[in-house]
Amino acid sequence: MDLGLTDRTYLVTGATRGLGFATARELVADGANVVLTGRTEEAAAEAAATLGERALGVVADNSDAQAPARLVAAARERFGRFDGVLISVGGPPPGTAAGNTDDEWRTSFETVFLGAVRFARTAAAELGEGGVIGFVLSGSVYEPIAGLTVSNGLRPGLAGFAKSLADEVGPRGIRVVGVLPGRIATDRMTQLDELSGDPEGSRARNSATIPLRRYGDPAEFGRTAAFLLSPAASYLTGVMVPVDGGARRGF
């Protein structure tokens, strides 16, 4: 199946590893150009070098209000066009309602929530018909996850923003989608399993609750995200797509 990605150009934030990198890799494999961001010059350059000449690594922080416009400009300068963005940020710190501090909430709001809103607003202003804005969110959009109270508070709000944005930009031919990873085998998931004090036992118990009885591979998430960003998904907008092995039981 031809996804129609050849020579299109996408921004992927937080893409030096994990789900962002997996998506960038799949986009490049299908012929797209990618501007990927990382927190350090070394990490961004290394990730881009791994993907080859169709990738450009740029240092950027999602909490920097100037970053979105700078990245769109970088995409156009390097590749001559800008077709979409996948807004992916690291997960906020784990914790409980009683345990997470005000500083943790403020920092997470700036990076996870407001940073994503800024990127989406900038993209919406710069994209034309056929453009797409994607958010990497979480299964906590639908159901709270134990020990991730900050994520439980912020991710559903971003999903609501994404749905509102889809209504606003749809008449201009711009799509907005959310991708909701479940338990995907990334460094972040390893960290969460280690919090239990028994990472192997935690993974086994969690896997037993998933119909496919395993954690997902980052490439499985990346392929789904790449499809949703592609012209092949041209009639999908305002949707939240779980990539979780069937862990979410609701319709």
Side-chain angles (χ1 to χ4, degrees):
M1 181 178 179
D2 182 3
L3 298 182
L5 286 167
T6 301
D7 293 332
R8 296 175 72 86
T9 298
Y10 297 89
L11 301 179
V12 184
T13 72
T16 58
R17 59 180 185 171
L19 302 180
F21 181 77
T23 302
R25 182 171 53 199
E26 296 300 328
L27 288 169
V28 168
D30 263 86
N33 305 310
V34 172
V35 177
L36 59 86
T37 74
R39 294 190 177 185
T40 68
E41 184 174 346
E42 181 181 6
E46 183 178 343
T50 300
L51 297 178
E53 63 182 11
R54 285 192 175 274
L56 172 67
V58 179
V59 177
D61 186 329
N62 277 25
S63 64
D64 177 7
Q66 307 304 317
R70 180 166 59 87
L71 290 166
V72 171
R76 287 182 170 145
E77 180 179 353
R78 173 66 179 269
F79 299 114
R81 59 190 293 172
F82 169 55
D83 297 285
V85 59
L86 182 67
I87 304 165
S88 174
V89 299
T96 63
N100 285 118
T101 67
D102 285 0
D103 284 343
E104 287 175 328
W105 277 100
R106 288 190 190 97
T107 299
S108 297
F109 179 80
E110 285 288 334
T111 56
V112 174
F113 193 96
L114 188 55
V117 168
R118 287 195 193 106
F119 265 98
R121 283 195 313 230
T122 299
E126 295 287 342
L127 288 167
E129 185 171 358
V132 59
I133 300 166
F135 294 85
V136 178
L137 298 175
S138 164
S140 62
V141 164
Y142 291 114
E143 186 172 309
I145 300 172
L148 295 180
T149 299
V150 177
S151 178
N152 295 339
L154 299 181
R155 305 289 196 192
L158 273 177
F161 171 78
K163 293 284 283 186
S164 296
L165 184 62
D167 285 344
E168 293 178 19
V169 301
R172 293 167 46 207
I174 299 170
R175 299 185 299 111
V176 182
V177 296
V179 199
L180 314 183
R183 293 191 175 273
I184 310 293
T186 61
D187 291 343
R188 166 72 168 173
M189 195 54 58
T190 298
Q191 175 197 28
L192 294 177
D193 281 334
E194 288 174 347
L195 291 175
S196 70
D198 178 16
E200 290 186 8
S202 176
R203 180 161 181 160
R205 289 189 297 273
N206 289 324
S207 294
T209 69
I210 301 170
L212 291 182
R213 295 296 190 270
R214 63 177 176 84
Y215 283 15
D217 186 281
E220 294 176 303
F221 176 91
R223 287 192 291 269
T224 303
F227 165 73
L228 291 171
L229 293 172
S230 78
S234 58
Y235 204 54
L236 290 179
T237 192
V239 295
M240 301 289 126
V241 180
V243 185
D244 62 3
R248 179 173 182 264
R249 265 56 175 198
F251 293 108

